[in-house]
Amino acid sequence: MTLLNSPRTRRRRLGVGAVAAGLLATLLTVAPAGATPDPGDPDAAAPRSVSKSDAAAAREAVERGEIPGPGEVVHSANIEHLANVPKDALPGLNTDIAFQGRYAFAGNYDGFRIFDISDPDSPKTVSQVLCPGGQNDVSVSGNLLFLSTDSSRSDNSCNSTSQPATEKSSWEGMKVFDISDKKNPRYVAAVETACGSHTHTLVPKKRDVYVYVSSYSPNAAFPDCRPPHDGISVIKVPRKAPQKAAVVNFPVLFPGEGPDGGGNPGGPTHPGVSKTTGCHDITVLPSKDLAAGACMGDGLLFSIKDPENPKIIDQVQDNENFAFWHSATFNQKADKIVFTDELGGGSGATCDEATGPKRGANGIYDVQGKGDKRKLVFRSYFKIPRHQAATENCVAHNGSLIPVKGKDLMVQAWYQGGVSVWDFTDSSRPREIGYFERGPHATDKITTAGSWSAYYYNGRVYSNDMAMGLDVLKIDDKRVKAAERVRLGELNVQTQPDYFD
């Protein structure tokens, strides 16, 4: 990685305007890398062709300096790129990240990797665990690590192979590891769940850890994943006996008549909107006994006072602009929720002028009222202001709060759109205050790449790029400075901490 001596400003709009005022770009060069997804996972797509005109437009935009070249890194003047750790023994797509003390735990379609981040500017690999089973969403609590498997497998071992979901013997669900020895994680339990575990969320208690398992897309031909699939699996894991982990409930979140329950019917009733057949992701705020669910065609607010029996408070839809409710983030006061729309499933080039600023974006909602009478009230959309090439998969994805008291700041991944730092303190007028991104992974096809998750933890931003590895960023901005004083012992972003308790 070479820092160029002459920083220069790049336009990132394919000829339709300048980058947001005040965000100067510093350029670095990084060699591109490839990704080998788990062949059994439909979301880990191979490179997809684009039209000759789109490929030519991408190449010409690079030549004119309107977008960075392949592998080239640009960022705003208030972002510093401290480190990049390329993928190593795990060739699959990098996914989510969790943190504990001086360690970061990075998921990958082929397993997970543990980093020592005691020196955040120079992460060191502690161990890598080969355990294929996309997407390997990862969380940690105490000495336990939780790993989601949403890829139909021959069995629950880490030596399993892909196997059709039409076969009754196939396995999908949650795996549990003992990480008391970070150099030698030990596989201790497995729990099969209906339709697998696309993502999961921890609700930690003193003696037990509850795990909310989100999954979707049932099929009458799948013995273990038949419709209606209108709820989530709740697993109870005893901390001292994780081998006794088991599903204790399957709460129905979308009660209703018909084969698919009471969620959003999707198309053709609502063209372009996903039919709700489960949830994609859930975020909990244990200090407030609240959860927010991103459930395909619906956004939910619910109470988790009784963690085994969550109770719906409010349910909203956006059938004009939201195609797939993907994830959710509370602000610290729990009077706002940011929902993301993963238009195109993460494989499409949706950060362009034709798609516009309201689709494939964040939807910001105020939470009004008290108790079980609270309502979600839409306020605005936020999308990165830099248009991407037709060969770049780009859409709103995983992010976290930046803990600054009295402000609502967030860092967020946008796949090949990079990492955005933005302010939604005024929920009606969100704005970007910094960014980091690479040029297109390729200019002749769409290749699955870019930042899957970008999270703020103890003074740094960690971004797990699907193809390029782990990036570490520092935000040098007075609006974010106070966050550097906040220190956590553990962070699973979907289990939001009370930063200022």
Side-chain angles (χ1 to χ4, degrees), residues 1-4 27-33 69-75 81 83-86 436-441 465 467-471:
M1 186 167 59
T2 304
L3 180 64
L4 301 181
L27 291 103
L28 301 87
T29 57
V30 182
E72 197 172 45
V73 170
V74 298
H75 52 81
H81 188 199
N84 171 262
V85 184
F436 165 91
E437 66 163 312
R438 288 182 170 88
H441 201 67
D465 188 293
M468 301 296 288
L470 183 74
D471 288 303

Side-chain angles (χ1 to χ4, degrees), residues 14-26:
L14 294 180
V16 293
V19 172
L23 302 184
L24 298 178
T26 303

Side-chain angles (χ1 to χ4, degrees), residues 227-230 252 254-265 276:
H229 183 72
D230 47 13
V252 175
F254 303 97
E257 301 297 328
D260 297 311
N264 196 318
T276 298

Side-chain angles (χ1 to χ4, degrees), residues 254 292-301 314-317 325 339 376:
F254 303 97
C295 302
M296 303 182 74
D298 295 86
L300 299 181
L301 176 67
D314 197 19
Q315 176 179 354
V316 292
Q317 298 176 355
W325 296 67
F339 289 102
L376 294 168

Side-chain angles (χ1 to χ4, degrees), residues 109-177:
Y109 271 75
D110 285 327
F112 65 92
R113 187 174 182 179
I114 302 178
F115 292 96
D116 183 337
I117 55 171
S118 52
D119 179 358
D121 301 357
S122 183
K124 307 296 183 186
T125 299
V126 176
S127 60
Q128 301 185 68
V129 175
L130 179 65
C131 196
Q135 42 184 46
N136 280 337
D137 195 33
V138 62
S139 298
V140 294
S141 184
N143 287 330
L144 300 179
L145 179 145
F146 302 85
L147 200 68
S148 283
T149 299
D150 192 34
S151 171
S152 185
R153 313 298 298 177
S154 56
D155 55 53
N156 65 8
S157 75
C158 284
N159 298 315
S160 66
T161 57
S162 295
Q163 181 168 291
T166 52
E167 295 188 22
K168 177 61 179 173
S169 63
S170 295
W171 186 91
E172 297 180 75
M174 180 63 56
K175 296 168 181 170
V176 184
F177 290 77

